[in-house]
Amino acid sequence: MKLASVRIIASDIRAMVTFYELVTGFRADWLAPVFAEIVTPGAALAIGSAETVALFKEGSAEPRANRTAILEFMVSNVDAEFARLKDQIAVVHEPKDLPWGNRTAQFCDPEGTRVALYTPVTDAARQRFAGR
């Protein structure tokens, strides 16, 4: 099994796609007016408008309701990425080192989902991510 993508349901799909294009540096592929994907080397981030929920089961997902997931993107230099983004998007916290060997900064997307950018900084963390 391979994790292929994560999908976010958005009340304002255009704002969300613009945000994630800015953060990732990748352009979205609009597969329908209500659905876009940003494909990165590791996986895809899919963004569907709220109206796509009815295609599956009405009420099964809700925009702006996430309070558990943090989308994480590994970057080569979290401090440089933080400097690039800090004046353009909502900052949750500035770069800091975490006990498991990553240096991370966290932002908030336009609908409240937390987005972390991180760089492995210890030898153990760099080894853990070497094959990913």
Side-chain angles (χ1 to χ4, degrees):
M1 184 181 297
K2 178 181 176 181
L3 178 62
S5 72
V6 172
R7 183 179 311 171
I8 298 173
I9 299 299
S11 61
D12 184 344
I13 192 170
R14 295 223 173 263
M16 292 287 277
V17 168
T18 299
F19 172 88
Y20 284 102
E21 285 178 333
L22 173 66
V23 169
T24 65
F26 290 94
R27 300 289 303 164
D29 293 323
W30 286 88
L31 304 176
V34 295
F35 186 82
E37 285 184 330
I38 297 175
V39 179
T40 72
L45 176 62
I47 304 168
S49 72
E51 56 196 292
T52 64
V53 174
L55 298 171
F56 304 105
K57 182 179 177 192
E58 192 68 47
S60 63
E62 180 182 338
R64 301 180 176 271
N66 175 35
R67 297 191 47 86
T68 60
I70 300 170
L71 299 180
E72 296 184 306
F73 296 91
M74 186 167 52
V75 298
S76 62
N77 184 328
V78 71
D79 293 287
E81 292 298 319
F82 180 80
R84 177 178 72 88
L85 296 168
K86 68 181 175 127
D87 296 327
Q88 300 178 71
I89 59 179
V91 173
V92 174
H93 70 76
E94 296 185 359
K96 64 170 100 174
D97 294 337
L98 299 177
W100 47 89
N102 293 341
R103 183 161 177 78
T104 186
Q106 204 174 97
F107 301 93
C108 190
D109 79 15
E111 298 197 2
T113 298
R114 300 303 188 248
V115 177
L117 305 182
Y118 73 92
T119 302
V121 292
T122 65
D123 288 339
R126 283 191 287 274
Q127 285 180 346
R128 190 170 61 250
F129 290 105
R132 294 187 193 179

